[in-house]
Amino acid sequence: MTGAGVTDPAEERPCFVAAVVVVILRGDRILAMRRSPMKDAAPGAWEAISGRIRPGEQPLEAAIREAREETGLTPRIDPDPIAAYQAKRKTDDMIVVAFRACSDSGDVTRSEEHDAHAWMTLEEFADACPFPLLVGATRRALTERG
């Protein structure tokens, strides 16, 4: 509020970080990545491929870029998102658009953002991942395949 009951427009305008998640499947397994202990947000957490959408970049373009950067794979990404949800990155609000992808072969080459990876079942991923909304999106990726 500025004075006399007048609200500053900047206070009303929500500010969100825009991000994507890519759930890469190989058969009935999910590619899980463990965040490096050097990361400032959620170090050591198991997750799927994720990253911010750059200015001017479409969510699908960001998903393709992040998948290549973080895994060295070129998975087939379904262009229709499987989920979108609000989350937090430390204190920042995020809007996350989740995509399903398939990678039938190839070795994972991790970036410095992750220090381990594993092909997990849904149950293993749900036990390892501390982000319930991501687990829900991953469940959808596996159960609602075309």
Side-chain angles (χ1 to χ4, degrees):
M1 299 274 286
T2 56
V6 177
T7 303
D8 180 352
E11 291 178 18
E12 293 179 4
R13 198 171 350 149
C15 183
F16 292 94
V17 172
V20 292
V21 162
V22 184
V23 178
I24 299 178
L25 306 176
R26 187 169 282 176
D28 64 348
R29 300 276 175 161
I30 300 138
L31 178 57
M33 308 289 284
R34 188 175 66 197
R35 293 177 65 81
S36 165
M38 308 312 285
K39 295 298 289 180
D40 64 333
W46 284 94
E47 64 173 354
I49 306 312
S50 65
R52 293 180 186 206
I53 300 171
R54 294 177 178 163
E57 189 175 45
Q58 294 296 321
L60 180 57
E61 293 168 346
I64 293 166
R65 176 181 52 76
E66 288 291 343
R68 287 183 183 150
E69 288 176 0
E70 293 186 15
T71 69
L73 300 172
T74 38
R76 293 180 314 281
I77 299 178
D78 184 341
D80 296 325
I82 55 170
Y85 54 88
Q86 182 179 349
K88 286 275 195 195
R89 184 185 187 280
K90 296 172 76 175
T91 60
D92 294 333
D93 289 314
M94 288 190 337
I95 296 295
V96 180
V97 180
F99 292 90
R100 173 192 305 113
C102 294
S103 177
D104 298 328
S105 62
D107 294 328
V108 174
T109 305
R110 292 187 306 268
S111 70
E112 70 283 348
E113 294 183 40
H114 300 96
D115 67 352
H117 72 276
W119 291 97
M120 296 182 176
T121 65
L122 178 58
E123 294 77 21
E124 292 167 337
F125 187 78
D127 287 342
C129 179
F131 311 115
L133 295 171
L134 174 54
V135 171
T138 302
R139 183 171 281 109
R140 263 185 99 172
L142 275 167
T143 59
E144 297 181 14
R145 287 191 264 193

